[in-house]
Amino acid sequence: MNINSKRFVIRKSLIGKNVVITFTNKKQENVSYNHDEVYNAHSEKFEAMNCFAKYKSYTNTNAVPAFCRNLQTITE
């Protein structure tokens, strides 16, 4: 399943659904990533965030978070 988004997002409701998300960053570059691979690589970090506990999601409007940029699954 593919989703187009306005921002980088990791959501509890998408875990395990093998979703590929594509968004346009503020440099107008399309960025795609496999939601499950990003979540699985950094699940402890996401689960420790207040926003993830409260809203069941993490978003970043402008870019891929620095701690995720090294993943092979992210393509620009």
Side-chain angles (χ1 to χ4, degrees):
M1 178 163 72
N2 294 328
I3 294 177
N4 288 324
S5 177
K6 293 182 179 179
R7 62 191 56 87
F8 176 90
V9 62
I10 297 293
R11 279 193 201 114
K12 283 192 178 188
S13 63
L14 295 177
I15 296 170
K17 296 189 177 175
N18 201 29
V19 175
V20 173
I21 298 176
T22 302
F23 75 98
T24 304
N25 66 17
K26 80 178 174 183
K27 294 179 183 175
Q28 299 304 307
E29 300 166 328
N30 284 334
V31 180
S32 295
Y33 59 97
N34 182 294
H35 179 276
D36 289 346
E37 289 179 19
V38 173
Y39 174 78
N40 291 337
H42 298 288
S43 61
E44 289 180 13
K45 188 166 187 95
F46 289 119
E47 294 292 341
M49 294 177 176
N50 289 335
C51 63
F52 208 70
K54 187 172 182 179
Y55 302 110
K56 298 179 179 22
S57 69
Y58 169 83
T59 62
N60 188 319
T61 304
N62 298 320
V64 174
F67 66 89
C68 295
R69 290 183 193 150
N70 65 336
L71 294 176
Q72 297 290 331
T73 186
I74 298 180
T75 57
E76 294 186 30

